[in-house]
Amino acid sequence: MKKNALAALSAALVVLSALVILGSCAKGAKDGKLDSIKKSGKLVLGTSADYPPYEFHAQIDGKDAIVGFDVAIAEEIAKDLGVKLEIKDMDFDGLLAALASGNVDLVIAGMTPNEERRQNVDFSDIYYYAEHGVMIRKADAAKYGSDAASLKDRMIGAQRGAIQVTLAKTRIKGVSDDDAEAPHAQVKELGKLPDLVMELKNSKIDAIVAELPVAKAYLGANGDLALASYTFKDDDGGSAVAVKKGEAALLAKINETVARLKSSGAIDGFVSAASELVEY
Ligand code: ARG
């Protein structure tokens, strides 16, 4: 009798501890990335710091730093999580792979949450909206400045992996949405914006499509460039933070911070502060 009771008790203990282990695994899976960020004490941001005023390099106290309103938002997210922010700067078209491999915890890079990307990553609520502008050489303002059709047979530059590649094809080249995936001989894709700006200044290309605030920022430092009078809207609604698919707990935290910053008007403040730091 006593032996049986002991056996029953130890069996019950085994079941109980199994349940506890299972329970903590399930919790670990649910809060996965959020937990590991809190444990490590740092949040790793992936971005492409060539996109003023979103994210760009600037000299702060004589030292190179990555700044911008996206960085300010990332700092707020880190603060709300009680951790430090670490920034990894890379080409825009490498960001989602870095997220998938766990090399970065989140991506904030003026990224548009389009359908194609939504299949691979999860996005926060939109934190900022901008239209797309077209940079040209000032000397060509009369030729290309007032009508997108004037660029139909010219070389257009856009950042590799960015939605502006598609915009250049569909809105300037007249390619149909269904054919917009295929490369176009007159749409030049480069990894970083400053390289495209160089090509524009050297007449290797005749225009660059980028988010309007970015086009304006580059213009400010390049007196030989001008902005076309037309702009493009896309249907995908602006910029959002990307996280690895299925990290619901982390995403919920990010959305809390985004909501707080939007409702207090802080994001507009970050945009003007960032715009003042733009040096190029
Ligand atoms: N909004 C565009 C996109 O998602 C371009 C973003 C480029 N961002 C950058 N940091 N260079 O495709």
Side-chain angles (χ1 to χ4, degrees):
M1 203 51 178
K2 229 180 171 183
K3 234 184 178 171
N4 278 349
L6 216 61
L9 188 68
S10 54
L13 272 177
V14 168
V15 170
L16 194 70
S17 46
L19 280 177
V20 168
I21 290 169
L22 268 177
S24 61
C25 281
K27 172 144 180 29
K30 187 168 116 293
D31 288 356
K33 199 75 193 170
L34 179 61
D35 274 351
S36 69
I37 290 165
K38 284 186 175 162
K39 268 193 206 109
S40 69
K42 65 171 194 209
L43 177 70
V44 184
L45 166 70
T47 195
S48 171
D50 61 349
Y51 222 57
Y54 292 74
E55 48 265 333
F56 53 103
H57 288 264
Q59 292 287 321
I60 305 290
D61 300 330
K63 272 193 293 177
D64 174 68
I66 294 174
V67 296
F69 69 85
D70 280 351
V71 176
I73 293 170
E75 261 153 14
E76 291 294 321
I77 294 170
K79 194 178 84 188
D80 287 351
L81 295 176
V83 299
K84 278 207 157 59
L85 182 70
E86 184 185 311
I87 306 178
K88 290 193 181 169
D89 182 17
M90 55 191 87
D91 278 5
F92 184 77
D93 72 331
L95 287 169
L96 293 188
L99 198 57
S101 69
N103 194 13
V104 301
D105 299 324
L106 79 175
V107 165
I108 313 185
M111 187 176 273
T112 308
N114 65 6
E115 242 352 274
E116 189 186 337
R117 291 173 182 154
R118 278 187 191 282
Q119 316 212 321
N120 301 308
V121 295
D122 287 334
F123 282 102
S124 73
D125 299 329
I126 302 287
Y127 61 80
Y128 188 72
Y129 179 78
E131 292 185 8
H132 306 274
V134 177
M135 277 182 261
I136 53 178
R137 282 177 299 277
K138 204 174 246 171
D140 291 337
K143 264 199 285 182
Y144 308 133
S146 52
D147 180 10
S150 63
L151 287 167
K152 183 131 185 2
D153 299 315
R154 312 307 308 173
M155 281 297 286
I156 315 296
Q159 186 165 38
R160 189 179 299 126
I163 63 163
Q164 283 84 12
V165 171
T166 309
L167 290 175
K169 291 178 197 165
T170 56
R171 308 292 176 90
I172 297 177
K173 295 296 174 187
V175 172
S176 74
D177 287 343
D178 289 342
D179 295 332
E181 284 287 311
H184 192 292
Q186 286 181 332
V187 176
K188 183 154 191 185
E189 304 174 37
L190 294 180
K192 286 278 187 194
L193 250 288
D195 295 331
L196 286 168
V197 171
M198 263 313 175
E199 301 243 314
L200 178 59
K201 290 161 82 81
N202 296 332
S203 300
K204 298 253 165 53
I205 59 177
D206 298 304
I208 300 172
V209 187
E211 253 97 352
L212 197 53
V214 178
K216 286 185 179 157
Y218 275 99
L219 238 63
N222 294 281
D224 51 341
L225 300 185
L227 196 63
S229 64
Y230 44 91
T231 57
F232 305 122
K233 283 191 179 121
D234 68 77
D235 307 325
D236 297 304
S239 300
V241 182
V243 296
K244 199 170 178 169
K245 242 195 177 348
E247 299 292 345
L250 175 60
L251 190 60
K253 282 282 176 197
I254 292 171
N255 273 330
E256 273 175 33
T257 303
V258 166
R260 171 172 72 75
L261 298 175
K262 281 200 334 194
S263 67
S264 68
I267 294 193
D268 296 331
F270 293 162
V271 175
S272 14
S275 304
E276 271 166 33
L277 291 175
V278 178
E279 296 160 344
Y280 54 94

PDB file of all heavy atoms in Angstrom, residues 47-48 50-51 55 92 109-112 117 132 159 161-164 193 211, ligand 1:
ATOM      1  N   THR A  47      19.497  48.591 -40.613  1.00  0.00           N
ATOM      2  CA  THR A  47      19.039  49.710 -41.420  1.00  0.00           C
ATOM      3  C   THR A  47      20.014  49.958 -42.567  1.00  0.00           C
ATOM      4  O   THR A  47      21.081  49.332 -42.638  1.00  0.00           O
ATOM      5  CB  THR A  47      18.856  50.978 -40.543  1.00  0.00           C
ATOM      6  OG1 THR A  47      18.082  51.935 -41.271  1.00  0.00           O
ATOM      7  CG2 THR A  47      20.183  51.590 -40.126  1.00  0.00           C
ATOM      8  N   SER A  48      19.616  50.852 -43.469  1.00  0.00           N
ATOM      9  CA  SER A  48      20.485  51.234 -44.582  1.00  0.00           C
ATOM     10  C   SER A  48      20.651  52.739 -44.478  1.00  0.00           C
ATOM     11  O   SER A  48      19.784  53.503 -44.887  1.00  0.00           O
ATOM     12  CB  SER A  48      19.831  50.831 -45.907  1.00  0.00           C
ATOM     13  OG  SER A  48      20.555  51.366 -46.997  1.00  0.00           O
ATOM     14  N   ASP A  50      21.570  55.468 -45.639  1.00  0.00           N
ATOM     15  CA  ASP A  50      21.852  56.298 -46.813  1.00  0.00           C
ATOM     16  C   ASP A  50      20.608  57.090 -47.181  1.00  0.00           C
ATOM     17  O   ASP A  50      20.430  57.489 -48.320  1.00  0.00           O
ATOM     18  CB  ASP A  50      22.253  55.412 -47.995  1.00  0.00           C
ATOM     19  CG  ASP A  50      21.150  54.438 -48.403  1.00  0.00           C
ATOM     20  OD1 ASP A  50      20.163  54.293 -47.651  1.00  0.00           O
ATOM     21  OD2 ASP A  50      21.259  53.823 -49.479  1.00  0.00           O
ATOM     22  N   TYR A  51      19.704  57.279 -46.204  1.00  0.00           N
ATOM     23  CA  TYR A  51      18.372  57.745 -46.523  1.00  0.00           C
ATOM     24  C   TYR A  51      17.933  58.901 -45.633  1.00  0.00           C
ATOM     25  O   TYR A  51      16.982  58.771 -44.864  1.00  0.00           O
ATOM     26  CB  TYR A  51      17.411  56.542 -46.397  1.00  0.00           C
ATOM     27  CG  TYR A  51      16.372  56.442 -47.492  1.00  0.00           C
ATOM     28  CD1 TYR A  51      16.746  56.379 -48.823  1.00  0.00           C
ATOM     29  CD2 TYR A  51      15.012  56.411 -47.179  1.00  0.00           C
ATOM     30  CE1 TYR A  51      15.800  56.292 -49.828  1.00  0.00           C
ATOM     31  CE2 TYR A  51      14.048  56.316 -48.184  1.00  0.00           C
ATOM     32  CZ  TYR A  51      14.451  56.249 -49.511  1.00  0.00           C
ATOM     33  OH  TYR A  51      13.518  56.158 -50.508  1.00  0.00           O
ATOM     34  N   GLU A  55      17.468  57.764 -42.062  1.00  0.00           N
ATOM     35  CA  GLU A  55      18.690  57.271 -41.391  1.00  0.00           C
ATOM     36  C   GLU A  55      19.872  57.621 -42.271  1.00  0.00           C
ATOM     37  O   GLU A  55      19.829  57.455 -43.482  1.00  0.00           O
ATOM     38  CB  GLU A  55      18.658  55.743 -41.146  1.00  0.00           C
ATOM     39  CG  GLU A  55      18.251  54.930 -42.377  1.00  0.00           C
ATOM     40  CD  GLU A  55      16.776  54.639 -42.338  1.00  0.00           C
ATOM     41  OE1 GLU A  55      16.233  54.585 -41.242  1.00  0.00           O
ATOM     42  OE2 GLU A  55      16.159  54.491 -43.408  1.00  0.00           O
ATOM     43  N   PHE A  92      20.263  48.170 -48.433  1.00  0.00           N
ATOM     44  CA  PHE A  92      18.829  47.992 -48.216  1.00  0.00           C
ATOM     45  C   PHE A  92      18.365  46.593 -48.619  1.00  0.00           C
ATOM     46  O   PHE A  92      17.553  45.979 -47.926  1.00  0.00           O
ATOM     47  CB  PHE A  92      18.052  49.064 -49.002  1.00  0.00           C
ATOM     48  CG  PHE A  92      16.582  49.021 -48.755  1.00  0.00           C
ATOM     49  CD1 PHE A  92      16.042  49.525 -47.584  1.00  0.00           C
ATOM     50  CD2 PHE A  92      15.723  48.456 -49.693  1.00  0.00           C
ATOM     51  CE1 PHE A  92      14.669  49.480 -47.347  1.00  0.00           C
ATOM     52  CE2 PHE A  92      14.357  48.402 -49.466  1.00  0.00           C
ATOM     53  CZ  PHE A  92      13.829  48.910 -48.296  1.00  0.00           C
ATOM     54  N   ALA A 109      13.854  51.177 -41.759  1.00  0.00           N
ATOM     55  CA  ALA A 109      14.638  51.722 -42.871  1.00  0.00           C
ATOM     56  C   ALA A 109      13.726  52.390 -43.892  1.00  0.00           C
ATOM     57  O   ALA A 109      13.908  52.228 -45.094  1.00  0.00           O
ATOM     58  CB  ALA A 109      15.451  50.602 -43.521  1.00  0.00           C
ATOM     59  N   GLY A 110      12.737  53.108 -43.401  1.00  0.00           N
ATOM     60  CA  GLY A 110      11.773  53.709 -44.328  1.00  0.00           C
ATOM     61  C   GLY A 110      11.138  52.635 -45.186  1.00  0.00           C
ATOM     62  O   GLY A 110      10.799  52.866 -46.342  1.00  0.00           O
ATOM     63  N   MET A 111      10.975  51.448 -44.614  1.00  0.00           N
ATOM     64  CA  MET A 111      10.545  50.314 -45.435  1.00  0.00           C
ATOM     65  C   MET A 111       9.034  50.294 -45.631  1.00  0.00           C
ATOM     66  O   MET A 111       8.268  50.407 -44.682  1.00  0.00           O
ATOM     67  CB  MET A 111      11.014  49.000 -44.821  1.00  0.00           C
ATOM     68  CG  MET A 111      10.742  47.816 -45.739  1.00  0.00           C
ATOM     69  SD  MET A 111      11.380  46.273 -45.088  1.00  0.00           S
ATOM     70  CE  MET A 111      13.050  46.314 -45.711  1.00  0.00           C
ATOM     71  N   THR A 112       8.648  50.131 -46.875  1.00  0.00           N
ATOM     72  CA  THR A 112       7.238  50.097 -47.247  1.00  0.00           C
ATOM     73  C   THR A 112       6.691  48.679 -47.064  1.00  0.00           C
ATOM     74  O   THR A 112       7.261  47.732 -47.606  1.00  0.00           O
ATOM     75  CB  THR A 112       7.098  50.513 -48.729  1.00  0.00           C
ATOM     76  OG1 THR A 112       7.787  51.754 -48.916  1.00  0.00           O
ATOM     77  CG2 THR A 112       5.638  50.662 -49.124  1.00  0.00           C
ATOM     78  N   ARG A 117       6.634  41.640 -49.361  1.00  0.00           N
ATOM     79  CA  ARG A 117       7.398  41.561 -48.111  1.00  0.00           C
ATOM     80  C   ARG A 117       6.570  40.965 -46.985  1.00  0.00           C
ATOM     81  O   ARG A 117       7.102  40.259 -46.127  1.00  0.00           O
ATOM     82  CB  ARG A 117       7.890  42.960 -47.718  1.00  0.00           C
ATOM     83  CG  ARG A 117       8.951  43.492 -48.662  1.00  0.00           C
ATOM     84  CD  ARG A 117       9.300  44.930 -48.347  1.00  0.00           C
ATOM     85  NE  ARG A 117      10.278  45.451 -49.297  1.00  0.00           N
ATOM     86  CZ  ARG A 117      10.405  46.726 -49.601  1.00  0.00           C
ATOM     87  NH1 ARG A 117       9.632  47.631 -49.019  1.00  0.00           N
ATOM     88  NH2 ARG A 117      11.308  47.118 -50.481  1.00  0.00           N
ATOM     89  N   HIS A 132       6.675  59.785 -53.359  1.00  0.00           N
ATOM     90  CA  HIS A 132       7.979  59.575 -53.985  1.00  0.00           C
ATOM     91  C   HIS A 132       8.291  60.720 -54.942  1.00  0.00           C
ATOM     92  O   HIS A 132       7.414  61.156 -55.680  1.00  0.00           O
ATOM     93  CB  HIS A 132       7.986  58.230 -54.717  1.00  0.00           C
ATOM     94  CG  HIS A 132       7.585  57.105 -53.816  1.00  0.00           C
ATOM     95  ND1 HIS A 132       8.477  56.442 -53.014  1.00  0.00           N
ATOM     96  CD2 HIS A 132       6.363  56.584 -53.531  1.00  0.00           C
ATOM     97  CE1 HIS A 132       7.825  55.547 -52.294  1.00  0.00           C
ATOM     98  NE2 HIS A 132       6.544  55.611 -52.584  1.00  0.00           N
ATOM     99  N   GLN A 159      17.128  52.460 -55.843  1.00  0.00           N
ATOM    100  CA  GLN A 159      17.887  51.600 -54.938  1.00  0.00           C
ATOM    101  C   GLN A 159      17.496  50.133 -55.112  1.00  0.00           C
ATOM    102  O   GLN A 159      16.308  49.795 -55.160  1.00  0.00           O
ATOM    103  CB  GLN A 159      17.630  52.031 -53.491  1.00  0.00           C
ATOM    104  CG  GLN A 159      18.496  51.269 -52.505  1.00  0.00           C
ATOM    105  CD  GLN A 159      18.517  51.939 -51.147  1.00  0.00           C
ATOM    106  OE1 GLN A 159      17.512  52.471 -50.684  1.00  0.00           O
ATOM    107  NE2 GLN A 159      19.679  51.912 -50.510  1.00  0.00           N
ATOM    108  N   GLY A 161      16.346  46.569 -54.612  1.00  0.00           N
ATOM    109  CA  GLY A 161      15.459  45.976 -53.612  1.00  0.00           C
ATOM    110  C   GLY A 161      14.366  46.909 -53.126  1.00  0.00           C
ATOM    111  O   GLY A 161      13.513  46.501 -52.340  1.00  0.00           O
ATOM    112  N   ALA A 162      14.393  48.159 -53.570  1.00  0.00           N
ATOM    113  CA  ALA A 162      13.407  49.129 -53.091  1.00  0.00           C
ATOM    114  C   ALA A 162      12.208  49.199 -54.033  1.00  0.00           C
ATOM    115  O   ALA A 162      12.312  48.870 -55.218  1.00  0.00           O
ATOM    116  CB  ALA A 162      14.050  50.512 -52.962  1.00  0.00           C
ATOM    117  N   ILE A 163      11.085  49.663 -53.489  1.00  0.00           N
ATOM    118  CA  ILE A 163       9.879  49.725 -54.319  1.00  0.00           C
ATOM    119  C   ILE A 163      10.007  50.778 -55.428  1.00  0.00           C
ATOM    120  O   ILE A 163       9.256  50.755 -56.390  1.00  0.00           O
ATOM    121  CB  ILE A 163       8.608  50.025 -53.485  1.00  0.00           C
ATOM    122  CG1 ILE A 163       8.693  51.403 -52.830  1.00  0.00           C
ATOM    123  CG2 ILE A 163       8.370  48.960 -52.440  1.00  0.00           C
ATOM    124  CD1 ILE A 163       7.341  51.906 -52.361  1.00  0.00           C
ATOM    125  N   GLN A 164      10.997  51.669 -55.307  1.00  0.00           N
ATOM    126  CA  GLN A 164      11.189  52.679 -56.344  1.00  0.00           C
ATOM    127  C   GLN A 164      11.631  52.061 -57.669  1.00  0.00           C
ATOM    128  O   GLN A 164      11.439  52.666 -58.727  1.00  0.00           O
ATOM    129  CB  GLN A 164      12.209  53.730 -55.891  1.00  0.00           C
ATOM    130  CG  GLN A 164      11.650  54.739 -54.891  1.00  0.00           C
ATOM    131  CD  GLN A 164      11.678  54.251 -53.453  1.00  0.00           C
ATOM    132  OE1 GLN A 164      12.314  53.249 -53.150  1.00  0.00           O
ATOM    133  NE2 GLN A 164      11.000  54.962 -52.563  1.00  0.00           N
ATOM    134  N   LEU A 193      22.188  54.812 -52.038  1.00  0.00           N
ATOM    135  CA  LEU A 193      21.741  56.060 -52.651  1.00  0.00           C
ATOM    136  C   LEU A 193      22.875  57.001 -53.085  1.00  0.00           C
ATOM    137  O   LEU A 193      22.810  57.570 -54.177  1.00  0.00           O
ATOM    138  CB  LEU A 193      20.823  56.797 -51.658  1.00  0.00           C
ATOM    139  CG  LEU A 193      19.330  56.891 -51.962  1.00  0.00           C
ATOM    140  CD1 LEU A 193      19.037  57.855 -53.100  1.00  0.00           C
ATOM    141  CD2 LEU A 193      18.753  55.530 -52.294  1.00  0.00           C
ATOM    142  N   GLU A 211      11.941  58.411 -51.868  1.00  0.00           N
ATOM    143  CA  GLU A 211      10.925  59.089 -51.068  1.00  0.00           C
ATOM    144  C   GLU A 211      11.214  60.602 -51.089  1.00  0.00           C
ATOM    145  O   GLU A 211      12.376  61.031 -50.999  1.00  0.00           O
ATOM    146  CB  GLU A 211      10.928  58.540 -49.625  1.00  0.00           C
ATOM    147  CG  GLU A 211       9.721  57.644 -49.304  1.00  0.00           C
ATOM    148  CD  GLU A 211      10.014  56.146 -49.454  1.00  0.00           C
ATOM    149  OE1 GLU A 211      11.109  55.792 -49.949  1.00  0.00           O
ATOM    150  OE2 GLU A 211       9.140  55.324 -49.079  1.00  0.00           O
TER     151      GLU A 211
HETATM  152  N1  ARG B   1      10.381  52.868 -49.090  1.00  0.00           N
HETATM  153  C1  ARG B   1      11.200  52.218 -50.049  1.00  0.00           C
HETATM  154  C2  ARG B   1      11.059  50.725 -49.920  1.00  0.00           C
HETATM  155  O1  ARG B   1      10.619  50.205 -48.959  1.00  0.00           O
HETATM  156  C3  ARG B   1      12.656  52.613 -49.972  1.00  0.00           C
HETATM  157  C4  ARG B   1      13.295  52.557 -48.641  1.00  0.00           C
HETATM  158  C5  ARG B   1      14.806  52.741 -48.707  1.00  0.00           C
HETATM  159  N2  ARG B   1      15.351  52.837 -47.402  1.00  0.00           N
HETATM  160  C6  ARG B   1      16.645  53.089 -47.103  1.00  0.00           C
HETATM  161  N3  ARG B   1      16.986  53.190 -45.860  1.00  0.00           N
HETATM  162  N4  ARG B   1      17.547  53.206 -48.063  1.00  0.00           N
HETATM  163  O2  ARG B   1      11.390  50.013 -50.809  1.00  0.00           O
END
